[in-house]
Amino acid sequence: MPAIYLIRHGKASPEAEDYDELSPTGHEQARLLGAELKRRDLRIGAVATGALRRQRQTAAAALAEAGIDTAPAADPRWDEYDHLGLLGSHLTGTGTLQERLDAALTSWMGAGGSGPGTWEGFREGVNAALSDLVAGLGRGETALVFTSAGVVAAVCSTLLGASPAGFLAMNRVVVNGSVSKLLHGRGGTQVLSFNDHAHLEQGGPALMTYR
């Protein structure tokens, strides 16, 4: 069956002026990811990224390390939700960044509506991108998608029939540089594994990051 690897980008640069840039830790996560992809000796059918720089940089570093010469196709439907915009536009109270983000996401998901900028619009765009990607895969091929935690959690929680609370729980724990594997068959697309990051453990706890 065709497989889809949903890959979270490496650690960005939250302390820098430009967040949307891989940090040194992010580059190392991408390198180790590429070594793991090379070890798996996959038959690559497609490579996709969102339009965000941190996603494209992760793809470039990992593909180079893996020796994969398939050119990535950029699709903004794989982009992350605007977390800074959500924190600014939804009342989030006090607490840690994660607590405020969870509150903002809960408010966003409960606001309803459709189209750009809404939760339903985000989720529909992600699911449509997945459907389009799967349609172009042949038997035994694997697609690599370099994306973000919210996208990975949205896809996996939808396929698992999880509640909004389930989405939040998955979104919190997606490790930078991790791989979530989907399989597509006659019964549709299914989640085979979520948030696999064993390839990062050789680098020690410093590579276990979530931002």
Side-chain angles (χ1 to χ4, degrees):
M1 292 186 287
I4 304 93
Y5 280 23
L6 300 178
I7 299 167
R8 189 186 179 190
H9 62 78
K11 180 178 172 61
S13 300
E15 296 84 13
E17 184 175 337
D18 186 359
Y19 173 81
D20 193 19
E21 186 82 25
L22 278 192
S23 65
T25 296
H27 280 286
E28 178 62 9
Q29 290 164 332
R31 187 190 70 79
L32 290 173
L33 168 67
E36 174 64 14
L37 294 176
K38 183 175 183 178
R39 186 190 70 79
R40 296 190 186 192
D41 193 24
L42 305 169
R43 186 153 69 89
I44 302 299
V47 179
T49 73
L52 300 175
R53 191 181 309 121
R54 59 189 182 272
Q55 298 168 341
R56 293 184 284 110
Q57 289 176 336
T58 301
L63 295 175
E65 183 70 23
I68 297 171
D69 58 8
T70 303
D75 183 341
R77 294 178 296 180
W78 294 115
D79 285 356
E80 182 65 291
Y81 53 75
D82 179 8
H83 72 285
L84 294 178
L86 290 178
L87 287 169
S89 62
H90 292 266
L91 295 176
T92 58
T94 59
T96 66
L97 175 59
Q98 187 62 60
E99 289 169 342
R100 290 187 289 116
L101 180 58
D102 282 355
L105 287 168
T106 299
S107 176
W108 181 47
M109 289 186 287
S114 60
T118 66
W119 160 249
E120 197 56 38
F122 171 72
R123 191 170 67 162
E124 286 180 354
V126 168
N127 290 334
L130 177 62
S131 295
D132 290 346
L133 185 71
V134 166
L137 288 178
R139 181 178 296 181
E141 290 185 335
T142 296
L144 306 178
V145 181
F146 294 86
T147 183
S148 295
V151 173
V152 175
V155 170
C156 292
S157 63
T158 297
L159 292 175
L160 293 171
S163 66
F167 163 78
L168 289 177
M170 299 180 89
N171 188 49
R172 289 185 203 109
V173 299
V174 183
V175 175
N176 292 112
S178 64
V179 177
S180 296
K181 184 177 179 180
L182 314 178
L183 289 180
H184 182 76
R186 294 178 183 176
T189 305
Q190 301 179 41
V191 179
L192 184 65
S193 65
F194 172 70
N195 201 29
D196 178 10
H197 53 273
H199 51 281
L200 302 176
E201 292 180 348
Q202 61 185 292
L207 294 186
M208 295 291 295
T209 63
Y210 303 88
R211 289 284 177 267

